[in-house]
Amino acid sequence: MTLKIHIDESAPPYEQVRAQISEQARGGVLPVGYRLPTVRGLAESLGLAVNTVAKAYRALETDGVIETRGRNGTFVAAAGSAADREAALAAQAYAERARRLGLGEDQALTAVRDALRAAYGER
């Protein structure tokens, strides 16, 4: 696993750690079951605070990218299953809310596209 943190970037270091691990896990560079370094070990190797790496690991676990197995360590989780479930639940909740607000399908899709462009930095 290779991570590069750029302090001068606009993205905070924890987000850079999260994004790079997520990308490597979803892209197959880090295979399912790959054991990640400890929070302390990764923080030390990257020159970051322990809390910074811990925050990235928590976000990755919430996203279903990694799983912590207690004292056995932290591992790359099965690709996408938890993330796919979370996304489907969020989409369902949005669809129901948009319908209750009286939005038509086209209006709801436009709102989603705008939100995705904003989240992914597209214009």
Side-chain angles (χ1 to χ4, degrees), residues 9-24:
E9 270 193 28
S10 61
Y14 87 88
E15 176 57 24
Q16 292 179 52
V17 170
R18 187 210 59 76
Q20 290 178 46
I21 291 174
S22 181
E23 182 178 306
Q24 290 180 30

Side-chain angles (χ1 to χ4, degrees), residues 21 38 43-44 61 68 75 82 89:
I21 291 174
T38 63
E44 192 173 297
E61 192 159 22
T68 301
F75 299 84
L89 287 171

Side-chain angles (χ1 to χ4, degrees), residues 30-49:
L30 299 176
V32 172
Y34 176 86
R35 186 176 183 177
L36 295 170
T38 63
V39 169
R40 189 174 304 280
L42 185 57
E44 192 173 297
S45 70
L46 294 174
L48 296 173

Side-chain angles (χ1 to χ4, degrees), residues 94 103-117:
Y94 172 74
L103 296 179
E105 187 175 331
D106 288 341
Q107 291 173 298
L109 285 172
T110 297
V112 168
R113 285 188 194 102
D114 290 345
L116 287 170
R117 278 193 285 277

